[in-house]
Amino acid sequence: MSEYVAVLMFILAGAGIVLVTFFMARMLRPHNPYPQKDINYECAELPVGSSWIQFNNRFYIFALIFVIFDVEVIFLFPWAVAFGQLGLFALVEMVVFILILLFGLFYAWKKGVLKWV
Amino acid sequence: MGLIKKLPVYAESMPGGSLVLTSVEAILNHGRSKSLWYLLFGTACCAIELMCTGASRYDFDRLGMIFRPTPRQADLIIAAGTITKKMAPRLRRLYDQMAEPRYVIAMGGCTIKGGPFYYDSYAVEKGIDHIIPVDIYIPGCPPRPESLLEGCIHLQEKIRKERLRDWQEK
């Protein structure tokens, strides 16, 4: 239990440092906004249009697939580090895990989501 | 609104307040003078000398000067090179986009008075002090890196003499 008190102290100290620094910066910095200052930085050119650029929503499926395989890599690294102790069982488990994800990828491929229409 | 504008008013009405005021000033000025991050703004041959000053032989970093590619993070704009009439509004815009406190160094003859283009050019701005307020002028065509370093040291001295009271008007 006492180890968690140390963690709590670290969290409180970390949050406190951030809050105190932001408060001090707010108190001490000059504050002088005006329209020419507030325009977007576009290499000193006047910005064209809004900075709220809309990405095509077809990117969403790529992002989703990317996240899945990103998570797979996160699982793979600790597995690879501890592979020496884990033995054959872990290898089979990981192959099954990768196969399940590959099946998902092939499913998505077959459904045509990887094709850019 | 920051405390910084009201601090001189409050502090001087309290006993011992001026001591607090001068120490806050000293700390702020120390921090500002020793961490002048400059905007990458090179428009002509002076920029080559600026690059040379930033490289290992002259080592700008030892003055706490690090280049920033955006005016939002820059304290200082070193106008290195000829400013044409077409570039002038861009220079003004970059200066406007920097956060206070902001400082300007006019590097080289072109930025001071048009330099070699003073007589016969219709396209060159004859001095950037027509566009933005300049803190330090560094003559030369282009100035050697030693001159630039000396100019920056002069700017640091200038910043160390700043008073909080001056900020009220800005």
Side-chain angles (χ1 to χ4, degrees), chain B residues 104-108 111-112 128-129 132-139 151:
Chain B
V104 179
I105 286 182
M107 181 183 179
T111 54
I112 296 173
I128 62 163
D129 43 10
I132 53 178
V134 177
D135 290 288
I136 299 286
Y137 296 90
I138 303 173

Side-chain angles (χ1 to χ4, degrees), chain A residues 21-31, chain B residues 1-5 7 24-25 27-28 32 100-101 164 167:
Chain A
T21 321
F22 269 76
F23 177 74
M24 273 179 63
R26 194 176 176 78
M27 286 292 109
L28 290 176
R29 71 183 171 216
H31 180 77
Chain B
M1 193 55 64
L3 181 69
I4 195 93
K5 281 198 174 180
L7 190 65
V24 169
E25 268 173 2
I27 292 168
L28 276 183
R32 280 171 185 167
E100 285 97 349
L164 278 182
W167 279 100

Side-chain angles (χ1 to χ4, degrees), chain B residues 74-152:
Chain B
D75 308 296
L76 164 69
I77 179 165
I78 301 178
T82 320
I83 300 296
T84 53
K85 301 262 191 216
K86 194 170 181 179
M87 200 66 192
R90 273 99 180 159
L91 176 61
R92 176 75 221 183
R93 201 169 293 137
L94 283 176
Y95 176 78
D96 276 334
Q97 285 176 341
M98 282 159 66
E100 285 97 349
R102 52 195 174 188
Y103 306 97
V104 179
I105 286 182
M107 181 183 179
C110 293
T111 54
I112 296 173
K113 216 65 195 161
F117 310 102
Y118 181 72
Y119 293 107
D120 293 328
S121 177
Y122 57 87
V124 171
E125 191 67 43
K126 309 291 192 297
I128 62 163
D129 43 10
H130 302 161
I131 311 159
I132 53 178
V134 177
D135 290 288
I136 299 286
Y137 296 90
I138 303 173
C141 191
R144 283 188 60 85
E146 290 93 337
S147 318
L148 181 58
L149 288 172
E150 199 196 350
C152 293

Side-chain angles (χ1 to χ4, degrees), chain B residues 49-65:
Chain B
E49 301 294 312
L50 179 61
M51 288 173 218
C52 183
T53 318
S56 54
R57 187 179 173 91
Y58 292 96
D59 196 13
F60 229 179
D61 283 8
R62 69 197 151 120
L63 301 182
M65 321 257 306

